[in-house]
Amino acid sequence: MTKEKVCSRQKEQVSMLLERNSNNTRDRKSRLRSICKKGVISLFAGILLMTMTVMPSVEAAGFELSITGKKMLAQTKTSSATSIAQALAKQEANLVSLQQKDTTLSQQTSAIYYENKEAEARLRTQLKQHQADKIATLNQDVTSTKKRYEPLFTLYSSLTKELALARKIKNKELTAAVKAQVDTTKVAVTLAKEDIRRKQAKLSAAKKTRDEAVKKVKNSLAQQDPVKVQIKSTKSNMSAAKKRFTAEMKNFNVIVKKKEGAEVLASLTKLATIAGEIVAQKESIISLEMKVKQIIAGAGKQLI
């Protein structure tokens, strides 16, 4: 084999190795992008899950009887007297109605809660930005005015020092000449200081007006605090009622197996009564959240 052919074959092998390495690099990059993409998706999914987990909503209580409980209740109705059977059917229907109402109320409560949170957040952002542009403009005016008069103040300071020196050496002509300059400059300095004071006064007045407006709105927002205390108290009562409902449901599941109409009716009636309490408490929470909504809206109208 000639030397030229050997060199040619070596070049081909090198080219193949380079191409293979390039393909491997592209494959690794592709796999890396795929992994990163999946990671981002997983991250967003995790954040969404965490957000859903911490949502402070009022969940549906769940008044529905178990499959076994429904079956035993149906058998109890069949074996009971007509009056007891009708009462059982009525309470069962009542419990189903309360379950549906509870679900609707839970959705409404969650919706208005987050509406209020968003509305208050927007309003507090507006409070931070209230009159910000106007105050920034006035502040800049004061700063630029002071800077514009700096040479004048420097000149006046220098002239007063020269006057003091002229008087010290008792040079009447020099003293008279410098004093004339000092007197003339003093008038300009007085006018300059008055200009600065006037602009500082406008800035101070704007800040005071802004602070008073913000304070007024915040005081109005504070009116929701006692309402939120009521909401918290109602939620606490509702939580206690849910525990009583859970305990009574366990009792019902035991009693219904006996198929004793009167006992089953007593337990089912108790379940419906507690469920009614929970629904009433949720209605109360919605009413209180509506008060919060009105307070936030009223506070927002005060921000002019």
Side-chain angles (χ1 to χ4, degrees), residues 271-285:
L271 284 175
T273 300
I274 299 173
E277 291 177 15
I278 295 172
V279 166
Q281 286 161 346
K282 287 192 178 181
E283 289 175 334
S284 177
I285 290 174

Side-chain angles (χ1 to χ4, degrees), residues 146-161:
K146 286 181 178 180
K147 190 173 183 179
R148 187 171 69 251
Y149 288 130
E150 277 180 6
L152 175 63
F153 296 146
T154 301
L155 174 63
Y156 181 69
S157 177
S158 177
L159 288 172
T160 54
K161 289 178 182 178

Side-chain angles (χ1 to χ4, degrees), residues 156 158-163 177-187:
Y156 181 69
S158 177
L159 288 172
T160 54
K161 289 178 182 178
E162 287 183 25
L163 179 59
V178 175
K179 188 176 184 304
Q181 288 182 303
V182 169
D183 290 342
T184 301
T185 308
K186 186 177 181 179
V187 173

Side-chain angles (χ1 to χ4, degrees), residues 172-210:
K172 292 183 179 180
E173 290 182 2
L174 180 60
T175 298
V178 175
K179 188 176 184 304
Q181 288 182 303
V182 169
D183 290 342
T184 301
T185 308
K186 186 177 181 179
V187 173
V189 167
T190 301
L191 294 174
K193 287 182 177 179
E194 181 60 33
D195 189 22
I196 292 172
R197 278 195 294 269
R198 186 168 56 252
K199 290 181 178 180
Q200 284 180 327
K202 287 179 67 177
L203 174 60
S204 298
K207 287 182 177 180
K208 183 179 179 181
T209 301
R210 184 270 314 275

Side-chain angles (χ1 to χ4, degrees), residues 65-77 92 256 259:
L65 302 177
S66 65
I67 295 175
T68 302
K70 289 179 181 179
K71 183 178 179 181
M72 293 294 105
L73 179 58
Q75 292 176 2
T76 303
K77 285 189 288 185
E92 184 182 18
V256 76
K259 301 177 185 177

Side-chain angles (χ1 to χ4, degrees), residues 15-75:
S15 297
M16 291 175 63
L17 286 171
L18 289 172
E19 185 177 357
R20 187 182 306 165
N21 183 60
S22 177
N23 290 335
N24 290 337
T25 301
R26 282 196 295 270
D27 290 342
R28 285 196 296 272
K29 288 183 177 178
S30 179
R31 288 197 297 271
L32 182 60
R33 282 196 295 269
S34 178
I35 291 170
C36 289
K37 188 175 181 180
K38 290 179 180 178
V40 171
I41 293 173
S42 299
L43 176 62
F44 279 121
I47 292 173
L48 179 60
L49 180 60
M50 289 173 63
T51 304
M52 292 173 65
T53 302
V54 300
M55 281 185 177
S57 59
V58 180
E59 298 178 355
F63 305 140
E64 190 174 4
L65 302 177
S66 65
I67 295 175
T68 302
K70 289 179 181 179
K71 183 178 179 181
M72 293 294 105
L73 179 58
Q75 292 176 2

